[in-house]
Amino acid sequence: MMQPLSISRAWDETREVLRRDGSLIATLALALMVLPGTISAMVQPRAPAGQMAEPGWWTLVQLLALLIGVVGQLAVVQIALGRRQSVGEAIAHGARRTPAFLGATVLWVLPLALLVVPFAQRIEANPNAPDPTSALIMVVVLLIFLFLAVRLILTTPVAGSEAAGPITILRRSWGLTRGRWWRLFGFLVLFFVAALIVITAVTSVVGVVVGLADGPPEPWSTGALVLALTSQLLSAALTVLLVLLITRLYAQLTGPAAPESASVPDAP
């Protein structure tokens, strides 16, 4: 008999976690997501519309920011599950579990990425009349990616809470989500639609205000900093919310105790 899965219960539990440990989660998000992300956005050179900037030293900064952000997400998992440990211990635990999480992600994302590359190059070579076969294969791979992304949605809480290797993480998430694809898919669609609306509304308003006050944002200008900071704050808030929700879904399916408050080490 499958464990019941309630999105509304996960939402209620997420609100309770935020009520109890919101300040701790905010500290983690600011230090491990917003700050690295803002620096990464500031150092990225501007590129012509529709094109990507040439790789350079700034790419390493972005990879480092991404790595730090993963540590932050895995630390949030610890707090969401009510593990009684300090914030420092949660971060240390997240750092220890990051290699396993990245390994699991690479195992399923990299093959699809390598499969897409040659067909994407063919389409890019002739965008006005793309090769039908290449386009069809791209659509099929996209659908496969979507299916796997839903089945493996719990890799973050599994990696953050269990002493498992990359393959075990994937198998664990695959097993927990069996028979629940459509429900989890609907949850993700609703979440990302709401997130898109919020991001579009906030960034549009901030962009207009910055443009009126400071003109078109130039690299390292005040306007660019405000836009980057706004974008990273929104991204971090939505990422944390999603991690909390899927962690509480994971908690339902594995049956741990209700969330408890995390702890901060006493000042010396």
Side-chain angles (χ1 to χ4, degrees), residues 12-54:
D12 291 338
E13 292 176 350
T14 294
R15 290 193 300 172
E16 178 63 17
V17 171
L18 289 172
R19 185 188 67 81
R20 294 179 178 180
D21 302 311
S23 60
L24 307 183
I25 294 173
T27 300
L28 281 173
L30 288 172
L32 301 181
M33 299 179 193
V34 176
L35 179 59
T38 301
I39 295 173
S40 172
M42 291 294 291
V43 301
Q44 180 177 348
R46 298 182 66 179
Q51 299 183 23
M52 297 182 63
E54 290 293 330

Side-chain angles (χ1 to χ4, degrees), residues 110-177:
L110 184 60
L112 293 177
L114 293 177
L115 180 62
V116 162
V117 167
F119 301 104
Q121 289 175 339
R122 292 181 187 177
I123 293 176
E124 186 178 358
N126 190 10
N128 295 324
D131 175 43
T133 301
S134 297
L136 177 61
I137 291 176
M138 291 280 289
V139 172
V140 171
V141 173
L142 178 61
L143 293 175
I144 294 174
F145 176 86
L146 179 62
F147 173 77
L148 292 177
V150 176
R151 287 299 303 269
L152 300 175
I153 188 178
L154 299 182
T155 53
T156 300
V158 170
S161 63
E162 302 181 14
I167 295 177
T168 303
I169 290 172
L170 296 179
R171 292 177 60 186
R172 184 85 165 114
S173 179
W174 189 269
L176 290 172
T177 58

